[in-house]
Amino acid sequence: MRPLVFLAAAILIPLRSFSDDPPLNQPPPGFVALFNGKDLTGWKGLVANPPKRAQMSPDELAKAQARADEEMRAHWTVEDGVLGFDGKGKALCTAKDYADFELLVDWKILKGGDSGIYLRGTPQVQIWDRPDIGSGGLYNNKIHPSKPLKVADKPVSEWNTFRIKMIGDRVTVHLNGELVVDNVVMENYWERDKPIYPSGQIELQNHGNKLFFRNIFIREIPKEKTQ
């Protein structure tokens, strides 16, 4: 009977390795999923920028949003739990605005890729294929630091993970577990003489190349907990 016991043990060993990775797009405790892994529910197309949107009448904005949504659906698609962009069209935006929050997002670019994540509708936490500089910096800052503290990117075509925390006008970014931006003021790119907006949409930006995102989770931080 000894060979049978040995065989049973040998069969059981590989069964323990089937749970290598957690299921895609399932938020950790305290977070909610912005992307459900199935479709574009909760997302919309990009209409202009915050100052221009503010100048539109409700009817003008609704018509522009309908056109933007139609264009968005032509270029952003979902396959096997991954959100993909074909390299054409404009940014993908959350349907909801956010103030203070913590954001988790996996992203992947190809060679020469260039992207970013807009916070409150403002550029941006940088994503690009620049191993000499690295991703994660607040690229559009002019006064405060714009470059990451270190290069923490994985090789092109591999998945990376951002943990982005925004409280008030300050942003902290971890890339693949490494601190790359430490409580830096994010400047208002659209209106340089004003502080960043108190709330706004989150945008997945592009520069005309293929992009991939998954595991997009957010935890809103109430104001009383940030004071």
Side-chain angles (χ1 to χ4, degrees):
M1 294 298 293
R2 288 181 182 175
L4 293 178
V5 173
F6 176 80
L7 178 60
I11 293 173
L12 288 174
I13 288 172
L15 294 179
R16 299 191 186 105
S17 65
F18 276 102
S19 58
D20 291 335
D21 299 309
L24 287 179
N25 306 306
Q26 298 299 310
F31 288 77
V32 297
L34 290 178
F35 169 53
N36 63 19
K38 301 176 182 178
D39 54 40
L40 295 170
T41 299
W43 296 86
K44 63 182 179 181
L46 175 64
V47 175
N49 58 50
K52 289 184 178 180
R53 289 197 297 270
Q55 296 173 357
M56 293 181 178
S57 69
D59 184 59
E60 289 173 334
L61 182 57
K63 290 179 179 178
Q65 189 63 65
R67 292 192 296 270
D69 290 348
E70 183 177 2
E71 180 182 10
M72 173 268 288
R73 287 189 288 269
H75 302 293
W76 291 87
T77 56
V78 179
E79 184 174 355
D80 296 329
V82 174
L83 180 59
F85 176 68
D86 67 2
K88 303 175 183 178
K90 299 178 181 178
L92 185 67
C93 315
T94 57
K96 179 180 176 181
D97 288 351
Y98 295 92
D100 295 340
F101 58 84
E102 187 172 12
L103 177 71
L104 307 177
V105 54
D106 291 351
W107 55 270
K108 181 170 66 173
I109 57 175
L110 306 181
K111 185 174 178 57
D114 191 346
S115 178
I117 297 180
Y118 282 33
L119 309 180
R120 301 184 193 159
T122 302
Q124 77 187 15
V125 178
Q126 182 68 28
I127 296 173
W128 56 0
D129 178 19
R130 285 291 302 272
D132 56 324
I133 300 176
S135 298
L138 306 185
Y139 178 81
N140 296 95
N141 273 2
K142 298 297 184 184
I143 300 172
H144 301 90
S146 63
K147 295 182 179 179
L149 298 172
K150 63 173 69 174
V151 177
D153 303 58
K154 293 183 179 180
V156 166
S157 299
E158 291 188 16
W159 285 104
N160 295 265
T161 300
F162 271 151
R163 179 183 289 268
I164 302 169
K165 192 172 185 178
M166 185 172 198
I167 297 179
D169 61 358
R170 292 185 174 269
V171 175
T172 297
V173 181
H174 287 82
L175 172 56
N176 299 321
E178 299 286 341
L179 179 66
V180 294
V181 172
D182 188 8
N183 201 36
V184 173
V185 171
M186 188 175 194
E187 300 165 20
N188 188 334
Y189 171 81
W190 305 112
E191 299 176 276
R192 291 285 183 184
D193 59 335
K194 298 179 181 180
I196 196 167
Y197 310 114
S199 67
Q201 62 198 27
I202 294 169
E203 302 175 19
L204 307 180
Q205 182 252 16
N206 73 87
H207 281 292
N209 41 69
K210 291 184 178 181
L211 307 169
F212 305 92
F213 297 90
R214 68 182 187 187
N215 292 333
I216 310 174
F217 311 128
I218 196 165
R219 175 178 70 91
E220 296 186 75
I221 303 175
K223 286 293 184 182
E224 59 269 19
K225 291 187 177 181
T226 65
Q227 297 174 352

